[in-house]
Amino acid sequence: MKILITGSNGLLGQKLLHKLRKDSSVQLIASSKGENRVSSKDGYTYFDLDITDNDAIAKLISIEKPQVVINTAAMTNVDLCEDERKTCDALNVDAVRYLADSCAKIDAHLIQISTDFIFDGQDGPYSEKDIPNPLSYYGLSKLKSEELLQAHIVKWTVLRTIIVFGVGEKLSKGNIVLWAKEALQQGDRLNIIDDQFRAPTLAEDLADICILAAKKKAFGIFNASGKDIMSIYEIVERIAKHYGNSTDHLNKISTETLKQKAERPRKTGFILDKSINELGYKPHSFEECLTIIDQQLKTID
Ligand SMILES: NC(=O)c1ccc[n+]([C@@H]2O[C@H](COP(=O)([O-])OP(=O)(O)OC[C@H]3O[C@@H](n4cnc5c(N)ncnc54)[C@H](OP(=O)(O)O)[C@@H]3O)[C@@H](O)[C@H]2O)c1
């Protein structure tokens, strides 16, 4: 099977790249905007591909003819999306349409990553059938990408995920686990919100469900998060306990005090039964995820 990944310099993109480049049943094409920042260069071909460039997408897909395209590229900074709506639409909506158009022409299957931020957080955890009501422009843009696929002739999968974390190489942004681990080790005083609830997702788990969906060419929407739903405070508290750090410097605060640009849903989390039963998804517990991260950090050091 020939698979094209977009956004391969990103966290999910890197995890997919590392899993698929060693898979002898897969011919892998990786792409991201700019040069390849992943140091392992074997087992795949890399292309500089800006997914907001429709012509470049059409050219690459028509020449390479992948059977599956996994779109991991996106504008993921929720507050920036609120301010820069045109850029957000270009990357999170228009680009998905370009990919869908090009995939449809060669009968390729498109896998798109969506988010819990399509929901308002009033009654999480959510199933795939619950009604979205985004509070932020980022959430709205991701919902628009889902809706355009539902109305498109392309074959598609939408995988909805929540707070993705993990270890990567030269990433352009951090993630909660690595940030909290370092801040706790330094003994920083941390103000953490305790009125938002999420099910954080190990990037490897998300990569695994992308691959399961790709191999099955699964059709439709699937929840693809971690299985433990916790407040953000509890996430940091469990990281502290895992690493034997004191929690004395942790302060509980409310979302209100943060004055963030974009509104966030209060409680999300996903019901994972469909993904577990239909795709064979096996997410790790949060503590297992932390142990996996420890091992990865040891091999990097
Ligand atoms: N991270 C989360 O907490 C979270 C939560 C819910 C859903 N998701 C979704 O999960 C997916 C993967 O997220 P992630 O955390 O892996 O994101 P990420 O680390 O930000 O990766 C996205 C990658 O896309 C690249 N990119 C940016 N603009 C591009 C363009 N115009 N053309 C091609 N590539 C471009 C970025 O390049 P640079 O590295 O050079 O900037 C980055 O490497 C996204 O769809 C995101 O919306 C993420």
Side-chain angles (χ1 to χ4, degrees):
M1 177 182 276
K2 197 168 186 179
I3 299 182
L4 166 66
I5 306 169
T6 67
S8 61
N9 279 329
L11 181 55
L12 172 60
Q14 289 190 20
K15 299 299 177 188
L16 280 167
L17 188 153
H18 286 302
K19 283 175 185 278
L20 291 173
R21 75 189 184 90
K22 293 181 195 138
D23 185 334
S24 57
S25 69
V26 170
Q27 193 182 345
L28 182 62
I29 309 161
S31 71
S32 219
K33 188 178 169 183
E35 68 181 49
N36 182 7
R37 299 203 300 269
V38 176
S39 53
S40 312
K41 310 285 185 205
D42 300 336
Y44 65 98
T45 315
Y46 180 84
F47 291 91
D48 174 353
L49 177 69
D50 178 345
I51 63 160
T52 62
D53 182 342
N54 193 13
D55 293 341
I57 288 176
K59 193 171 164 198
L60 184 64
I61 291 183
S62 67
I63 292 173
E64 290 297 328
K65 295 193 174 39
Q67 275 114 26
V68 177
V69 175
I70 307 176
N71 178 33
T72 80
M75 184 161 167
T76 58
N77 183 321
V78 179
D79 292 315
L80 200 63
C81 286
E82 210 66 26
D83 279 337
E84 297 185 11
R85 294 179 175 209
K86 276 192 178 161
T87 316
C88 172
D89 276 344
L91 203 47
N92 291 358
V93 187
D94 300 339
V96 180
R97 185 178 308 107
Y98 304 153
L99 288 166
D101 291 346
S102 287
C103 284
K105 278 189 189 140
I106 59 156
D107 202 25
H109 189 102
L110 177 59
I111 299 180
Q112 166 67 4
I113 315 300
S114 189
T115 169
D116 55 334
F117 277 32
I118 64 164
F119 293 108
D120 60 19
Q122 292 303 308
D123 43 14
Y126 293 98
S127 84
E128 290 83 352
K129 288 183 181 156
D130 285 318
I131 308 293
N133 180 31
L135 302 175
S136 62
Y137 202 77
Y138 169 74
L140 179 64
S141 72
K142 286 289 186 174
L143 179 59
K144 284 186 198 165
S145 76
E146 292 192 11
E147 288 171 347
L148 84 82
L149 289 179
Q150 285 167 20
H152 204 283
I153 54 164
V154 74
K155 291 172 189 145
W156 57 271
T157 316
V158 165
L159 299 174
R160 292 177 178 159
T161 193
I162 304 176
I163 305 185
V164 184
F165 64 91
V167 180
E169 206 179 343
K170 296 179 183 164
L171 294 170
S172 52
K173 67 172 204 269
N175 57 72
I176 186 168
V177 171
L178 299 187
W179 166 80
K181 177 180 182 292
E182 190 161 332
L184 286 160
Q185 274 166 0
Q186 286 170 356
D188 296 348
R189 181 159 291 283
L190 302 177
N191 295 324
I192 311 289
I193 45 177
D194 74 338
D195 55 359
Q196 284 184 35
F197 298 80
R198 302 282 182 266
T201 310
L202 182 69
E204 274 80 2
D205 284 344
L206 182 56
D208 283 343
I209 192 171
C210 287
I211 294 167
L212 288 166
K215 293 200 168 170
K216 291 190 175 184
K217 294 194 179 166
F219 179 78
I221 297 172
F222 293 87
N223 286 339
S225 69
K227 59 183 178 185
D228 296 351
I229 301 172
M230 301 164 274
S231 72
I232 306 293
Y233 183 90
E234 192 186 342
I235 293 172
V236 177
E237 191 180 43
R238 280 167 75 167
I239 295 169
K241 286 192 179 139
H242 179 86
Y243 289 106
N245 299 124
S246 162
T247 52
D248 292 350
H249 296 298
L250 290 184
N251 288 337
K252 286 182 184 171
I253 58 165
S254 70
T255 300
E256 175 61 24
T257 56
L258 280 183
K259 305 271 179 245
Q260 287 167 308
K261 184 92 193 179
E263 196 179 338
R264 269 80 169 163
R266 194 187 69 81
K267 181 176 181 187
T268 65
F270 283 143
I271 295 159
L272 297 171
D273 296 357
K274 183 183 175 196
S275 298
I276 291 168
N277 296 331
E278 292 183 24
L279 297 180
Y281 180 46
K282 290 189 193 126
H284 292 88
S285 69
F286 189 59
E287 267 68 26
E288 287 168 344
C289 296
L290 295 178
T291 303
I292 290 170
I293 284 190
D294 291 345
Q295 285 157 0
Q296 292 175 349
L297 289 171
K298 272 184 204 139
T299 41
I300 285 173
D301 293 346

